[in-house]
Amino acid sequence: MKANRMLKKVVGFGLAAMLGATMLAGCGAGKTTEGAAPAGQGQAAAAGTLAKIKERGKFVVGVKYDLNLFGLKDPTSGNVEGFDIDIAKAIAKKVLGDENKIELKEVTSKTRIPMLKNGEIDAIIATMTITEDRKKEVDFSDVYFLAGQSLLVKKDSPINGLADIKKGMKILTAKGSTSAKNIREKAPDAEILEFENYAEAFTALKAGQGDALTTDNALLYGMAKQDPNYRVTSETFTEEPYGIAVAKGDSEFTATINDLLKEMKQNGEYDKIYEKWIGEKPKK
């Protein structure tokens, strides 16, 4: 009897130990370091963008609504049109066979990366300059548009370039943009005023709140087209290579976009879109 009781105790302790180990494994599953996801989980999620688009039957893309020539919403029709929109439509056509299978979501320079990272959008096509800092958070396609930062001023302004910006002058730009960072470095004596987007910055310029507005020349041309009382200075003081941003680690979707861009440049479709919106053929 004693032997039987002893055996029961041993078996009981063994079962308890096994159960405890199982519970500990369950509590600790998926943790490598504190707060970290299991190894490879983020990459696996990112790599599924193409499959997600095909399953949904719609390409959801972040674009700007306030930039003439690239992404501008018509207040009457509600349609958003521009260079970036046509590139987005080309991606939808390649992936889904129909350029109309697309959903546009408004982004700003400040909101676009967070919206991509939390899965609200599949990609960013929003005049986004490729930078080393941004590469730490997202992956980029090949360059789809090469711009350069410049200044928008009144037609009779004495400002024709950086050399004409004097101490105390107010330069307007958008929050979270590379333009804000660049102008602080290039014109350290100027006062830099940042707005939520370039439409607000342009409104402020027209209201006399600043001496110049700065961003990429491609965007400034759109503003000057809206109001002929303003001009774009001929000087550019940066190179701004625009890329299409996708989730970090999404090599499959990046490769698909790069293949499309290559095809478009080879078959002339890219040149047509460029000339349609910019008014000239792209420099080779």
Side-chain angles (χ1 to χ4, degrees):
M1 293 293 289
K2 283 185 178 180
N4 286 340
R5 283 199 296 270
M6 184 64 71
L7 180 60
K8 287 179 180 179
K9 284 183 179 181
V10 170
V11 171
F13 286 138
L15 288 171
M18 289 172 63
L19 181 60
T22 303
M23 290 175 67
L24 284 171
C27 292
K31 283 194 176 183
T32 51
T33 58
E34 186 176 356
Q41 182 173 309
Q43 290 185 354
T49 305
L50 263 180
K52 184 170 67 174
I53 293 169
K54 290 176 181 178
E55 183 179 354
R56 188 197 300 126
K58 183 168 57 177
F59 175 39
V60 182
V61 56
V63 298
K64 290 188 176 178
Y65 282 17
D66 64 335
L67 293 178
N68 194 15
L69 306 184
F70 280 83
L72 186 67
K73 185 174 184 178
D74 185 321
T76 304
S77 67
N79 295 331
V80 186
E81 296 182 327
F83 189 98
D84 285 349
I85 313 307
D86 284 358
I87 295 294
K89 287 179 177 179
I91 294 173
K93 186 175 182 180
K94 180 174 179 65
V95 175
L96 298 170
D98 186 345
E99 68 172 27
N100 295 312
K101 290 185 176 180
I102 191 169
E103 180 182 342
L104 305 177
K105 286 196 175 185
E106 183 179 14
V107 299
T108 66
S109 296
K110 187 171 66 172
T111 65
R112 56 194 173 187
I113 289 180
M115 288 177 67
L116 178 65
K117 292 174 79 172
N118 68 22
E120 288 182 63
I121 53 179
D122 300 319
I124 303 167
I125 311 179
T127 62
M128 189 172 180
T129 302
I130 300 169
T131 68
E132 292 305 314
D133 283 343
R134 287 173 178 166
K135 284 181 182 179
K136 296 173 185 175
E137 298 189 84
V138 300
D139 282 350
F140 282 103
S141 70
D142 294 336
V143 176
Y144 77 94
F145 192 94
L146 183 62
Q149 190 168 340
S150 190
L151 300 166
L152 180 73
V153 297
K154 281 188 175 181
K155 274 202 166 175
D156 59 356
S157 171
I159 298 174
N160 292 301
L162 287 175
D164 299 318
I165 297 177
K166 308 302 180 186
K167 187 173 183 178
M169 284 187 173
K170 294 179 180 178
I171 312 298
L172 316 180
T173 191
K175 291 179 181 177
S177 65
T178 54
S179 300
K181 179 176 179 289
N182 291 337
I183 196 64
R184 281 193 168 88
E185 294 173 354
K186 303 286 185 180
D189 292 334
E191 182 181 350
I192 311 303
L193 303 180
E194 296 183 51
F195 295 81
E196 287 299 321
N197 53 54
Y198 290 112
E200 287 186 14
F202 190 26
T203 299
L205 181 68
K206 291 189 283 188
Q209 295 179 34
D211 299 284
L213 189 157
T214 188
T215 184
D216 307 341
N217 57 354
L219 312 187
L220 297 178
Y221 286 130
M223 296 177 199
K225 187 174 182 180
Q226 289 180 37
D227 191 331
N229 294 309
Y230 291 82
R231 62 181 173 86
V232 181
T233 60
S234 58
E235 177 192 60
T236 57
F237 46 90
T238 66
E239 278 196 352
E240 304 295 331
Y242 296 166
I244 298 168
V246 301
K248 191 72 179 169
D250 198 341
S251 56
E252 182 187 26
F253 194 28
T254 305
T256 299
I257 293 171
N258 285 340
D259 288 345
L260 171 64
L261 292 175
K262 186 176 180 180
E263 289 170 14
M264 292 175 69
K265 289 178 180 180
Q266 288 176 342
N267 64 23
E269 186 181 353
Y270 177 87
D271 287 10
K272 288 178 182 177
I273 294 173
Y274 194 104
E275 194 167 2
K276 171 185 174 182
W277 294 107
I278 309 304
E280 60 186 27
K281 291 184 178 180
K283 296 180 177 68
K284 301 297 184 181

